C-alpha cells in the first residue's frame, strides 16, 4: 500500500488488490472535512483505511462514488463501519443498487464468473446513508470543494467530481483507463456502453478545463485536456469501426483487428502487455453491442 501526493489538498491511495498494486486509485480530498473518492471493494478497503490512518485522517465525512460498479463501490459498507458519520454520494440511478447490490452482483458474476470472489464481501448499505447527487452540486469540505458533473456513457450512473483549486478532475472510468503506465488511454466500455453519451460527457469534462486528470485505473496525469481530446478521438474511431463492423457483418475478432490496425494506443497496449487483449475485446464488445442496437432501431 502506498500514498502519493496529488496536490496540497489531495492524495491518492494505491491499496493492493489481490497482491497487485496499480489497480484502483482511491483519492482523498481533505479540507476541514475529508472526502474519499471510490474506496473500492471490501478486499481493498482495509488497505485504504490503513492509508487514511497514516495520512492522519480520523473522520471521513463524504464517500464520493464515480459510479457504483463493484470494483469502485462494493466496500462502502466496510468504510461505514469504520467511519459511521460518513455519507455516501452517488448518481441517483445508482442509489437502489447501493442499497441492494444483488442485480449488479449477478451481472458481474455473469461477466467475471467466480473471479468476483476477489472483491470480498458484497453488502448493501442503509438508504439513509446515501445521498443522490444533483448535477452541478457542490460538496463543500471547508476550504476545498468537489463539483458534481453527470458524465454517463461508461455506465448510466457515472459522474465526475471537479476540484477547482487544484483544477483536478476525478473522472472514474468516464475518461478511459491508462493501464501499466504506458502513456496510452484506452476505453473502458463493456456492455452496456453508450458512446454517444460518453462523447457528450467528454465535452462536459473538457469544458471544465482541468489541469490534472485523476482516473481510477490508473493514476493522475497532467495535460488533462490533451488526454481528454486524445480519448475523444479514440472513442469516435472505435465507434466508427464498430459500426462499420456491424454493417459489414464482421465478428468481434475481425473488428478487433481493424481497431489494432487503426488505433496506435490499442496497438501499443497489446504489444507491451498481451494480457490486455481481453480488456480491448470487452471494451470493443460494448461499442459493437451499441452499434447493433442502433442498427436494429433503423
Ligand atoms: Zn466501471
Amino acid at each position: 500500500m502506498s500514498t502519493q501526493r496529488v496536490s496540497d489538498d489531495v492524495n491518492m491511495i494505491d491499496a493492493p488488490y489481490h497482491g497487485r498494486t496499480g489497480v484502483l486509485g482511491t483519492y482523498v480530498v481533505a479540507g476541514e472535512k475529508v472526502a474519499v473518492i471510490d474506496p473500492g471493494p471490501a478486499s481493498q478497503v482495509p488497505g485504504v483505511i490503513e492509508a487514511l490512518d497514516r495520512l492522519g485522517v480520523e473522520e471521513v465525512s463524504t464517500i464520493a462514488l464515480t459510479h457504483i460498479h463493484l470494483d469502485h463501490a462494493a466496500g462502502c459498507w466496510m468504510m461505514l463501519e469504520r467511519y459511521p458519520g460518513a455519507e455516501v454520494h452517488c448518481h441517483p440511478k445508482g442509489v437502489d443498487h447501493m442499497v441492494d447490490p444483488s442485480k449488479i452482483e449477478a451481472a458481474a458474476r455473469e461477466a467475471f464468473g467466480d473471479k468476483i470472489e476477489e472483491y470480498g464481501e458484497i453488502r448493501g448499505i442503509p438508504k439513509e446513508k446515501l445521498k443522490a447527487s444533483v448535477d452541478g452540486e457542490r460538496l463543500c469540505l471547508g476550504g476545498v470543494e468537489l463539483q458534481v458533473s453527470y458524465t454517463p456513457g461508461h455506465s448510466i450512473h457515472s459522474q465526475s467530481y471537479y476540484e477547482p483549486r487544484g483544477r483536478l478532475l476525478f473522472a472514474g472510468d468516464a475518461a478511459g483507463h491508462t493501464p501499466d503506465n504506458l502513456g496510452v488511454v484506452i476505453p473502458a466500455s463493456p456492455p452496456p456502453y453508450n458512446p454517444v453519451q460518453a462523447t457528450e460527457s467528454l465535452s462536459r469534462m473538457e469544458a471544465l478545463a482541468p489541469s490534472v486528470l485523476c482516473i481510477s485505473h490508473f493514476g493522475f496525469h497532467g495535460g488533462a485536456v490533451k488526454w481528454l481530446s486524445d480519448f475523444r478521438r479514440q472513442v469516435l474511431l472505435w465507434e466508427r469501426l464498430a459500426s462499420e463492423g456491424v454493417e459489414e457483418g464482421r465478428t468481434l475478432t475481425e473488428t478487433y483487428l481493424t481497431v489494432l490496425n487503426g488505433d496506435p494506443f490499442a496497438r501499443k497496449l497489446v504489444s507491451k502487455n498481451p494480457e490486455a487483449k481481453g480488456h480491448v475485446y470487452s471494451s470493443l464488445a460494448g461499442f459493437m453491442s451499441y452499434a447493433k442496437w442502433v442498427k436494429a432501431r433503423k
Side-chain angles (χ1 to χ4, degrees):
M1 180 271 296
S2 65
T3 61
Q4 283 182 68
R5 188 175 168 282
V6 184
S7 73
D8 286 349
D9 310 302
V10 178
N11 281 278
M12 185 188 78
I13 297 171
D14 180 8
Y17 174 77
H18 276 258
R20 278 189 301 137
T21 53
V23 176
L24 174 90
T26 295
Y27 294 92
V28 184
V29 185
E32 288 158 29
K33 295 189 280 185
V34 172
V36 172
I37 300 175
D38 289 353
S43 54
Q44 263 182 291
V45 165
V48 169
I49 291 173
E50 194 188 326
L52 288 166
D53 286 345
R54 258 198 227 172
L55 290 167
V57 172
E58 287 171 8
E59 280 305 322
V60 170
S61 72
T62 305
I63 297 169
L65 300 176
T66 62
H67 60 306
I68 55 119
H69 284 163
L70 298 174
D71 56 330
H72 296 248
C76 278
W77 65 270
M78 197 182 266
M79 287 290 286
L80 290 174
E81 284 190 345
R82 174 68 173 77
Y83 308 105
E87 285 177 338
V88 179
H89 294 250
C90 72
H91 190 284
K93 291 201 163 113
V95 168
D96 289 346
H97 296 296
M98 287 303 296
V99 175
D100 173 10
S102 56
K103 276 193 194 150
I104 293 266
E105 187 178 347
R109 197 171 283 283
E110 202 176 310
F112 307 123
D114 288 343
K115 253 185 150 343
I116 76 157
E117 308 293 341
E118 293 179 0
Y119 291 144
E121 190 177 343
I122 296 162
R123 270 198 224 166
I125 61 172
K127 192 155 195 173
E128 60 271 18
K129 281 283 160 198
L130 280 154
K131 294 276 171 236
S133 297
V134 177
D135 194 25
E137 180 183 2
R138 287 156 189 255
L139 308 178
C140 297
L141 302 168
V144 59
E145 68 175 27
L146 292 173
Q147 300 173 358
V148 177
S149 185
Y150 288 174
T151 47
H154 170 76
S155 68
I156 52 163
H157 43 76
S158 288
Q159 61 186 26
S160 300
Y161 301 89
Y162 182 58
E163 190 280 284
R165 211 155 89 162
R167 293 176 54 210
L168 310 178
L169 179 65
F170 303 94
D173 292 346
H177 288 183
T178 54
D180 303 333
N181 256 329
L182 291 175
V184 302
V185 63
I186 205 86
S189 51
Y193 174 70
N194 186 322
V196 174
Q197 281 184 346
T199 42
E200 285 167 6
S201 293
L202 283 168
S203 300
R204 305 195 79 193
M205 290 189 267
E206 284 170 316
L208 295 166
S211 153
V212 179
L213 185 62
C214 302
I215 65 170
S216 298
H217 314 284
F218 178 83
F220 48 96
H221 308 277
V225 171
K226 176 162 187 334
W227 276 101
L228 291 168
S229 73
D230 282 352
F231 184 56
R232 165 197 296 281
R233 236 192 334 273
Q234 188 182 37
V235 168
L236 293 173
L237 172 69
W238 283 41
E239 188 183 7
R240 177 170 65 75
L241 294 174
S243 145
E244 285 171 8
V246 166
E247 285 301 327
E248 311 273 323
R250 289 191 195 114
T251 62
L252 179 59
T253 301
E254 287 164 345
T255 312
Y256 166 79
L257 294 174
T258 68
V259 166
L260 280 201
N261 206 19
D263 178 1
F265 285 163
R267 212 160 45 237
K268 182 172 177 186
L269 176 64
V270 173
S271 71
K272 298 273 181 192
N273 177 6
E275 284 179 21
K277 187 175 167 185
H279 176 90
V280 177
Y281 256 80
S282 79
S283 289
L284 184 60
F287 281 87
M288 289 192 80
S289 73
Y290 180 80
K292 282 178 192 156
W293 176 78
V294 170
K295 189 177 182 206
R297 278 165 45 110
K298 276 184 187 163

